[in-house]
Amino acid sequence: MRFLHTSDWHLGRSFHRVSMLDAQAAFLDHLVATVRERDVDAVLVAGDVYDRAVPPLAAVELFDKALHRLAAAGVPTVMISGNHDSARRLGVGAGLIDRAGIHLRTDPAACDTPVLLSDAHGAVACYGLPYLEPALVKDEFKTDKARHEAVVGAAMERVRADLATRGAGTRSVVLAHAFVAGGEESDSERDITVGGVSAVPAGVFHGVDYVALGHLHGCQTITDRVRYSGSPLAYSFSEARHRKTMWLIDLGARGEIEAERIECPVPRPLARLRGALEELLDDPELALHEQSFVEATLTDPVRPAEPMARLAERFPHTLSLVFEPERTGDDAVASYAQRLKGRDDHQIAEDFVAHVRGGSGPDDLERTVLRGAFDDVRVDEGVREVAG
């Protein structure tokens, strides 16, 4: 059976205030064309269909058109909700559109109810694990701890229990939206850390033939059977070096895996340029970036006059301007943004405590309180999305 694995469409998202709807429409055109041209048997969408819980109408219309085209092609689509989606909103009408071959899996309690497909070699059971917010699903899965590994592990136990009841030779596919250990992050994924831990080990998915992952935006192989498709478009300059693709997966009669990367259309390449303003304006080697989306980091010791306007004369699609003056090794002055770079919210809060105390950071109990406060805020946001 041939699957097309994709994820993290983030319909409705902009890129530094530039609308991406046209680029997202072009990607969906490409997806439907690939389905037809490569004889795809089923499409797997591993979450984050939308960029936020209440997407703009234009994004909903784009999604609706894509579903109609996939249904018209007669190709089953299995889709789960991600941490950016509202599972309840995405799942509205799931029972009805299931009859059209569009299978939405947004209810954690139904993770062990597969979409059953078949080919010349027999049955393939596709299980959908929507994003599992530990604090919201720990009671459903009866886990002692509200941790990603615990709830994903419990969900997979249900999957394996159901699979054991299926006929001999039944092959299995799992869709999941999670941060699996070994994956490489970018700047555009929403943090899902709980209690300082966000990753689940790849071994939690043992016993199935293929795991189609979503959440991380770079296409990557965790193991031969556990893969991220990545997002089809770049959503931050940290993805400038990403090769945006989908996975074309051939699942053999005995569960063998053959994987091929299918290129996604690039609406406009990304470029991260660094140097003094005059160097960037004069360097002939930078001509290839003149039509790219540009993030420029200026290293001038003194901020030049009208830098954005001057950059835009050569690079009209400059979207981000960063100032990082080159300093001598003994210059202790650094920008606030530089000091915060690469630090998460909890680390920033600990630094603040140390600052106001004159150097003494929080003790273990205070760290636990801080961590709990950040977890409570994120969970509260999830509860309000579910309630809405």
Side-chain angles (χ1 to χ4, degrees), residues 283-294:
D283 188 346
E285 294 186 4
L286 299 183
L288 73 161
H289 300 307
E290 290 177 352
Q291 295 305 312
S292 301
F293 283 136
V294 169

Side-chain angles (χ1 to χ4, degrees), residues 10-331:
H10 289 279
L11 300 181
R13 187 166 186 159
S14 60
F15 183 75
H16 288 265
R17 300 185 181 180
V18 174
S19 173
M20 299 295 286
L21 275 174
D22 287 346
Q24 290 168 341
F27 159 69
L28 292 173
D29 288 344
H30 172 67
L31 182 146
V32 174
T34 301
V35 166
R36 296 180 182 278
E37 293 166 5
R38 299 301 300 269
D39 296 322
V40 170
D41 296 307
V43 176
L44 311 176
V45 186
D48 281 354
V49 173
Y50 293 120
D51 189 56
R52 55 184 185 268
V54 185
L57 179 59
V60 177
E61 291 174 338
L62 190 59
F63 177 61
D64 182 62
K65 290 177 182 177
L67 295 191
H68 275 83
R69 293 167 69 188
L70 288 169
V75 176
T77 298
V78 184
M79 183 177 296
I80 61 172
S81 50
N83 61 301
H84 279 251
D85 300 308
S86 166
R88 288 183 63 184
R89 286 188 176 90
L90 186 63
V92 169
L96 183 62
I97 66 175
D98 191 81
R99 303 174 191 174
I102 306 296
H103 308 284
L104 293 172
R105 293 295 185 261
T106 63
D107 181 4
C111 66
D112 56 350
T113 303
V115 176
L116 294 175
L117 307 175
S118 63
D119 63 7
H121 305 294
V124 178
C126 294
Y127 298 89
L129 275 60
Y131 172 66
L132 302 175
E133 173 57 54
L136 300 181
V137 301
K138 65 182 181 67
D139 292 337
E140 166 64 33
F141 291 107
K142 298 179 174 57
T143 59
D144 294 333
K145 296 181 178 180
R147 294 290 186 268
H148 288 284
E149 181 177 355
V151 295
V152 174
M156 283 303 303
E157 288 297 331
R158 292 189 183 185
V159 167
R160 283 186 286 270
D162 179 82
L163 187 58
T165 69
R166 304 289 166 181
T170 298
R171 291 156 293 163
S172 54
V173 172
V174 165
L175 291 79
H177 196 88
F179 178 20
V180 175
E184 182 178 344
E185 299 176 87
S186 65
D187 293 342
S188 53
E189 298 110 5
R190 182 184 293 172
D191 182 28
I192 60 172
T193 301
V194 177
V197 180
S198 59
V200 300
V204 78
F205 297 106
H206 72 88
V208 297
D209 294 309
Y210 183 70
V211 181
L213 293 175
H215 180 57
L216 299 185
H217 287 187
C219 181
Q220 48 201 297
T221 301
I222 304 300
T223 73
D224 187 51
R225 297 184 181 276
V226 181
R227 299 171 186 260
Y228 283 99
S229 67
S231 61
L233 297 166
Y235 292 116
S236 73
F237 278 103
S238 65
E239 300 171 50
R241 296 185 180 275
H242 284 188
R243 176 184 161 207
K244 295 300 185 180
T245 58
M246 301 176 284
W247 283 114
L248 190 69
I249 301 295
D250 285 317
L251 180 63
R254 294 179 297 279
E256 316 95 294
I257 295 290
E258 292 186 11
E260 176 187 348
R261 292 178 71 175
I262 304 295
E263 305 287 339
C264 293
V266 179
R268 192 178 299 279
L270 308 187
R272 307 183 92 173
L273 309 183
R274 181 183 181 89
L277 177 59
E278 296 300 332
E279 294 173 354
L280 299 185
L281 296 177
D282 296 338
D283 188 346
E285 294 186 4
L286 299 183
L288 73 161
H289 300 307
E290 290 177 352
Q291 295 305 312
S292 301
F293 283 136
V294 169
E295 178 188 70
T297 300
L298 299 185
T299 59
D300 303 74
V302 177
R303 182 175 299 207
E306 300 182 335
M308 181 62 90
R310 295 171 65 189
L311 279 167
E313 290 179 2
R314 184 180 187 189
F315 307 103
H317 303 287
T318 301
L319 300 181
S320 176
L321 186 58
V322 181
F323 293 96
E324 291 187 4
E326 290 185 346
R327 304 181 185 277
T328 60
D330 58 355
D331 190 344

